[in-house]
């Protein structure tokens, strides 16, 4: 728009200081005549004034200006906290109304920026405002209007603009919100013990002392809930037992407060990884052999294992007159180990042990019963596993997964390379072992062994084979316990690097940890995890049949069915977005797994009230104001105000009128040209002379 503007200015012939000096001299010259009230004194003054006016050279200046429209910035908050209580609809309605009203105001351009949800640092509204201001000249900025719930997490100390900031909030003043805040939660817990969680329930927007006790519901892994009564505003300590290894998902929910904005932050999710305390292992070595220290080195290298090791150097019936003080420091405590303290051991290992009357049948029955009730047993056997003194012919044989073939058929002495069986390729103990079943000449292969026992499997899984498909490593579950049977005593050759060696340490570690129920080594299992907003459900099974459908239940109770994708190692996987915070569950019909999804942007749910308090200092310093707009219809009017005037009032908010422009033309007309000034001065001088001459 083009606008013309007229004004009067001075273009003096002499400098201003000299013009001022002449004016002073003129006053001094006129002062005596004025004091004496002489005739013509005022005409003299008029003559001097005309002379000074001619020197000042007044002129009429006319400018032609091209006006630039002012610019207002509208910042819209689209973060997660604006989705509660219908705020997003109110903000969108207000946005459309403000854009329409601003479009009807002359000389005003409205630009809109949006603060989208993203990251985990809360609402970055002022980062969006800075982006919008980057290409707006400050001389044209009329003001900033923010449509937000006030939960902004990047509020600066000051706003570097000379324009009002107005905040329009959805809803109404006086909102209340209840939130559950975890103060401290351990990441690990000892199986069989409990962990203590520190938390507090806070009622925001409620005067202190007006909160009544409330119910707190605690649920672990989707099990039966238990409730506790707690007082809002006070720190609470909640004890949660850890009953199994692996992650346990603990969901804690505070009951809803009447009238609160949302229950989104009434629930907290804590994942505690259950670990076993120092595991106690009893290792009984039989007759000496080259690999006798293999198991000892492995178990002693694990800092979480307390090892009790006994070596039977001589059976009781053998007597060679060797003095007792040269045989052992202490007697073999059979009764103490296998009757009194048997339940204290998590794993019992027999390494080439033959029962030559050392352990009475009753103690062997105790071991078998201990396995059925949840204990673990590992046998690494050699030639002693054949014949009448074999442990397979004792009460312990009832829990073993294989029996040696009768007579001379049992012992096989010939070079061979161990192979992972079809079931072993899916079993976590042997799946993925380096060099397993190498088929090419340049591939790393396992070194040869030279002795094993032929046996007839009676249960469990054969995960490794010897020559002709004979079972080499048997794993079995017996009752609540587990049993492993290694039908060779030559795994020590791998540790010596014989013929290329093999993964001796890794295999033995996996066997021991599977026996002691390491969650990651479960062969029949269903697990769920959430990372980067995606839920991954993994089903492991030794069965080669197609996996069943997986039913996934979201935190809001929505159920979906999915066909898992088969992967290597007996795995079947389902992946899907986990967009809602809370506990997700997955089941294959036999097992159920749980995973916790935390809020993607925790600061967004820390306080769900619409509240302008965080931005109040900026509103005061900029001259703006905060107004409630209900459902988006109770909007204040938009008005243009002059610079320096109040930018808000009852029922309206103001945008400053900047009047920025570009001068496109200018003309100047002298008001007292020299010829006119000369005529006027002469005329006035003549009049003054005639007045004084009378």
């Amino acid at each position: 728009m083009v606008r013309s503007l007229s004004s009067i200015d001075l273009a003096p012939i002499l400098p201003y200081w000299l013009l001022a000096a002449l004016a002073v001299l003129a006053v001094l010259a006129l002062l005596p005549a004025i004091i004496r009230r002489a005739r013509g004194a005022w005409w003299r003054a008029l003559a001097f004034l005309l002379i000074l006016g001619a020197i000042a050279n007044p002129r009429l200046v006319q400018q032609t200006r091209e006006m630039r429209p002012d610019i207002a910035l509208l910042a819209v908050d689209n973060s997660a906290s604006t989705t509660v209580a219908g705020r997003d609809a109110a903000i969108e309605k207000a946005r459309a109304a403000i854009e329409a009203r601003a479009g009807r105001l002359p000389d005003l351009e409205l630009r809109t920026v949006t603060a989208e949800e993203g990251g985990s640092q809360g609402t970055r509204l002022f980062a969006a405002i800075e982006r919008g201001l980057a290409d707006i000249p400050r001389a044209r900025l009329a003001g900033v209007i923010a449509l937000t719930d006030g939960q902004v997490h990047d509020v600066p100390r000051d706003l570097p603009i000379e324009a009002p900031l107005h905040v329009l909030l959805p809803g109404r003043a006086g909102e209340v919100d209840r939130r559950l805040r975890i103060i401290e939660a351990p990441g690990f817990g000892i199986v069989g013990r409990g962990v203590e969680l520190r938390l507090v329930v806070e009622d925001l927007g409620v005067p202190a002392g007006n909160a009544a006790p409330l119910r707190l519901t605690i649920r672990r892994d989707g099990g039966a809930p238990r409730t506790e009564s707690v007082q809002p505003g006070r720190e609470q300590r909640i004890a949660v037992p850890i009953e199994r290894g692996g992650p346990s998902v603990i969901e804690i929910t505070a009951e809803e407060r009447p009238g609160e904005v949302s229950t989104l932050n009434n629930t907290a999710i804590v994942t505690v990884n259950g670990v076993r305390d120092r595991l106690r292992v009893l290792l009984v070595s039989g007759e000496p052999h080259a690999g006798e220290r293999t198991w000892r080195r492995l178990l002693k290298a694990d800092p979480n294992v307390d090892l009790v090791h006994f070596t039977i150097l001589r059976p009781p019936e053998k007597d060679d007159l060797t003095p007792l003080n040269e045989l052992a420091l202490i007697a073999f405590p059979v009764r103490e180990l296998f009757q009194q303290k048997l339940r204290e051991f998590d794993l019992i290992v027999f390494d080439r042990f033959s029962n030559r009357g050392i352990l009475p049948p009753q103690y062997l029955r105790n071991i078998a019963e201990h396995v059925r009730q949840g204990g673990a047993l590992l046998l690494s056997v050699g030639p002693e596993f054949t014949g009448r003194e074999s442990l397979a012919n004792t009460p312990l044989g009832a829990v073993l997964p294989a029996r040696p073939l009768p007579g001379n058929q049992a012992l096989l002495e010939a070079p061979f390379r161990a192979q992972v069986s079809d079931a072993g390729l899916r079993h976590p103990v042997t799946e993925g072992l380096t060099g397993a079943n190498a088929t090419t000449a340049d591939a790393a292969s396992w070194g040869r062994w030279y002795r094993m026992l032929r046996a007839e499997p009676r249960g469990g899984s054969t995960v490794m084979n010897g020559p002709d498909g004979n079972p080499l490593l048997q794993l079995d579950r017996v009752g609540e316990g587990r049993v492993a049977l290694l039908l060779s005593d030559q795994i020590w050759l791998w540790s010596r690097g014989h013929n290329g060696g093999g993964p001796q340490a890794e295999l033995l570690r996996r066997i021991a940890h599977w026996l002691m129920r390491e969650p990651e080594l479960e062969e029949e299992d269903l697990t769920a995890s959430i990372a980067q907003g995606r839920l991954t459900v993994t089903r492991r099974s030794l069965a080669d049949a197609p996996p069943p459908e997986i039913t996934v239940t979201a935190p809001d109770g929505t159920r979906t069915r999915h066909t898992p994708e088969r992967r290597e190692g007996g795995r079947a996987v389902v992946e899907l977005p986990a967009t809602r915070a809370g506990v997700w569950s997955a089941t294959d019909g036999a097992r159920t797994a749980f995973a916790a999804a935390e809020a993607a942007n925790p600061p967004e749910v820390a306080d769900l009230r619409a509240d302008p308090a965080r931005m109040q200092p900026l509103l005061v310093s900029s001259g703006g104001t905060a107004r409630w707009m209900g459902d988006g219809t109770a909007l204040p009017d938009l008005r243009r105000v002059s610079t320096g005037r109040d930018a808000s009032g009852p029922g309206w908010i103001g945008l400053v009128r900047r009047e920025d422009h570009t001068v496109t033309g200018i003309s100047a007309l002298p008001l007292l040209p020299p010829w006119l000034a000369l005529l006027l001065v002469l005329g006035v001088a003549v009049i003054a002379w005639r007045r004084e001459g009378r």
Side-chain angles (χ1 to χ4, degrees):
M1 187 177 74
V2 178
R3 180 184 300 177
S4 296
L5 181 66
S6 299
S7 62
I8 296 177
D9 68 357
L10 300 177
I13 300 173
L14 299 176
Y16 280 106
W17 66 269
L18 185 56
L19 183 63
L22 292 175
V24 171
L25 292 176
V27 171
L28 293 176
L30 290 171
L31 189 61
I34 294 175
I35 292 175
R36 288 184 288 108
R37 296 183 179 181
R39 291 183 175 183
W42 291 108
W43 288 101
R44 290 184 187 181
L46 180 59
F48 282 128
L49 184 62
L50 289 172
I51 293 172
L52 292 174
I55 296 173
N57 189 24
R59 59 182 184 175
L60 177 65
V61 179
Q62 188 171 18
Q63 289 185 353
T64 303
R65 298 178 177 180
E66 183 178 350
M67 306 302 296
R68 295 177 180 176
D70 295 332
I71 302 174
L73 183 66
L74 178 63
V76 181
D77 182 359
N78 280 349
S79 60
S81 61
T82 63
T83 61
V84 303
R87 294 174 184 169
D88 50 353
I91 288 176
E92 187 58 33
K93 187 181 298 183
R95 172 180 181 167
I98 290 176
E99 289 177 344
R101 293 182 185 183
R104 293 192 292 268
L105 293 177
D107 300 330
L108 181 67
E109 176 186 341
L110 183 68
R111 298 183 184 179
T112 302
V113 293
T114 303
E116 299 291 348
E117 172 64 18
S120 59
Q121 299 179 340
T123 300
R124 317 301 294 175
L125 180 67
F126 283 90
I129 291 176
E130 288 181 5
R131 291 196 305 270
L133 293 175
D135 58 350
I136 298 178
R138 295 297 187 268
R140 298 174 61 188
L141 181 62
V144 179
I145 302 174
L147 302 179
T148 177
D149 59 0
Q151 297 303 326
V152 180
H153 305 93
D154 64 342
V155 179
R157 292 185 177 180
D158 51 44
L159 200 60
I161 59 173
E162 296 181 0
L165 168 66
H166 302 294
V167 173
L168 304 182
L169 300 103
R172 290 171 176 80
E175 292 181 342
V176 297
D177 181 41
R178 171 171 289 172
R179 71 177 176 186
L180 175 63
R181 182 165 58 90
I182 299 295
I183 300 174
E184 182 181 15
F188 297 87
I190 303 299
V191 175
R193 304 181 188 176
V195 296
E196 188 176 71
L197 310 179
R198 294 171 53 213
L199 55 88
V200 62
V201 180
E202 299 170 320
D203 286 343
L204 306 176
V206 178
N210 291 355
L214 60 96
R215 291 194 311 275
L216 203 65
T217 303
I218 302 104
R219 189 189 304 267
R220 187 183 70 250
D221 291 335
R226 66 182 177 93
T227 60
E228 294 190 13
S229 178
V230 299
Q231 185 70 31
R234 297 181 184 176
E235 180 180 321
Q236 309 293 330
R237 296 177 182 267
I238 305 296
V240 180
I242 303 299
E243 299 178 351
R244 63 178 182 84
S248 292
V249 179
I250 302 167
E251 181 181 17
I252 308 170
T253 303
E255 70 172 314
E256 181 179 358
R257 177 185 176 86
E260 70 170 313
V261 177
S262 173
T263 60
L264 190 61
N265 54 359
N266 289 32
T267 299
I269 307 296
V270 176
T271 300
V272 180
N273 194 31
V275 296
R276 296 186 178 274
D277 200 359
R278 294 181 62 86
L279 301 169
R280 300 202 66 193
V281 179
L282 172 62
L283 172 60
V284 181
S285 299
E287 60 185 73
H289 66 101
E292 181 179 357
R293 301 186 64 83
T294 297
W295 288 104
R296 178 178 176 84
R297 290 195 186 99
L298 172 72
L299 297 170
K300 289 291 288 184
D302 193 334
N304 292 323
V305 170
D306 284 335
L307 178 63
V308 178
H309 184 198
F310 286 92
T311 301
I312 309 301
L313 297 177
R314 188 184 70 174
E317 73 276 5
K318 183 178 180 180
D319 187 5
D320 57 4
L321 302 179
T322 302
L324 291 177
N325 62 350
E326 297 180 14
L327 288 177
L329 295 177
I330 60 173
F332 188 30
V334 177
R335 183 172 181 274
E336 182 180 5
L337 292 177
F338 298 105
Q339 182 169 332
Q340 296 178 349
K341 296 186 177 181
L342 181 64
R343 307 295 178 190
E344 298 179 6
F345 292 106
D346 299 287
L347 172 62
I348 300 172
V349 181
F350 286 113
D351 179 25
R352 287 205 61 178
F353 178 84
S354 61
N355 191 37
R356 299 179 181 177
I358 298 175
L359 296 180
Q362 181 58 42
Y363 292 161
L364 294 172
R365 290 191 190 93
N366 290 345
I367 298 174
E369 188 60 27
H370 174 57
V371 170
R372 294 188 182 96
Q373 294 179 3
L377 175 66
L378 169 61
L379 272 68
S380 177
V381 300
E384 83 290 342
F385 197 56
T386 63
R388 293 182 303 171
E389 296 167 343
S390 170
L391 287 177
N393 297 325
T394 68
L396 194 60
V399 297
L400 298 182
R403 293 183 62 87
L405 296 181
N408 297 328
Q409 303 177 56
L411 186 61
L412 173 63
E413 293 183 314
F416 70 93
R417 296 184 190 274
Q419 298 287 314
V420 176
S421 67
D422 291 341
L425 293 174
R426 296 187 293 272
H427 201 292
V429 169
T430 48
E431 182 256 336
L433 287 174
T434 303
N437 299 359
T439 57
T440 60
D442 57 345
S445 59
W446 293 346
R448 293 182 177 88
W449 295 356
Y450 299 92
R451 181 169 59 207
M452 68 167 290
L453 277 297
R454 293 191 181 97
E456 178 184 358
R458 299 197 305 173
S461 303
T462 302
V463 297
M464 289 179 64
N465 290 328
D468 303 324
N470 288 296
L472 180 61
L473 177 59
Q474 289 283 121
L475 303 177
D476 192 16
R477 295 171 181 256
V478 181
E480 298 295 325
R482 303 184 181 193
V483 180
L485 176 61
L486 181 59
L487 292 161
S488 176
D489 60 348
Q490 296 199 334
I491 194 171
W492 61 272
L493 291 172
W494 281 356
S495 63
R496 304 276 180 92
H498 173 72
N499 199 216
Q504 170 257 353
E506 177 64 15
L507 176 60
L508 296 185
R509 185 196 67 81
R510 291 190 191 183
I511 294 173
H513 283 258
W514 176 82
L515 288 166
M516 292 183 286
R517 295 178 176 80
E518 178 71 29
E520 295 181 356
L521 293 173
E522 292 293 322
E523 73 276 21
E524 298 287 340
D525 197 17
L526 186 72
T527 60
S529 62
I530 294 178
Q532 298 181 350
R534 292 191 65 82
L535 170 68
T536 301
V537 182
T538 304
R539 182 181 185 270
R540 292 200 70 151
S541 177
L542 297 182
D544 198 25
E549 286 188 333
I550 304 295
T551 301
V552 176
T553 304
D556 60 355
T558 304
R559 293 187 177 184
T560 54
R561 299 177 65 86
H562 306 270
T563 301
E565 176 186 350
R566 301 188 70 172
R567 306 275 180 88
E568 294 181 353
R571 297 180 181 88
V573 178
V574 169
E575 293 185 359
L576 66 154
T579 55
R580 297 185 63 90
V583 177
W584 292 71
S585 65
T587 179
D588 61 358
R591 287 170 291 272
T592 302
F594 300 90
E598 298 181 353
N601 199 343
E604 282 294 294
V605 297
D607 186 354
L608 294 175
R609 297 173 299 159
D611 186 3
R614 295 186 180 186
M615 293 183 288
Q616 194 62 42
L618 295 183
L619 301 181
V620 174
S621 63
S622 69
T625 186
R627 298 290 172 85
W628 296 90
M629 59 182 182
D631 61 354
T633 58
L635 291 174
D637 291 334
L638 295 182
R639 295 185 185 180
R640 305 301 307 279
V641 296
S642 300
T643 303
R645 299 290 300 274
D646 291 340
S648 63
W652 63 273
I653 57 176
L655 298 173
V656 177
R657 185 179 287 108
R658 294 293 187 180
E659 297 186 346
D660 188 45
H661 61 276
T662 300
V663 177
T664 59
I666 186 170
S667 61
L669 176 65
L671 297 179
L672 193 62
W675 62 269
L676 180 60
L678 180 61
L679 291 176
L680 292 175
V681 169
L682 290 175
V684 171
V686 170
I687 296 173
W689 174 70
R690 294 190 64 181
R691 291 283 296 172
E692 292 178 359
R694 291 180 180 180

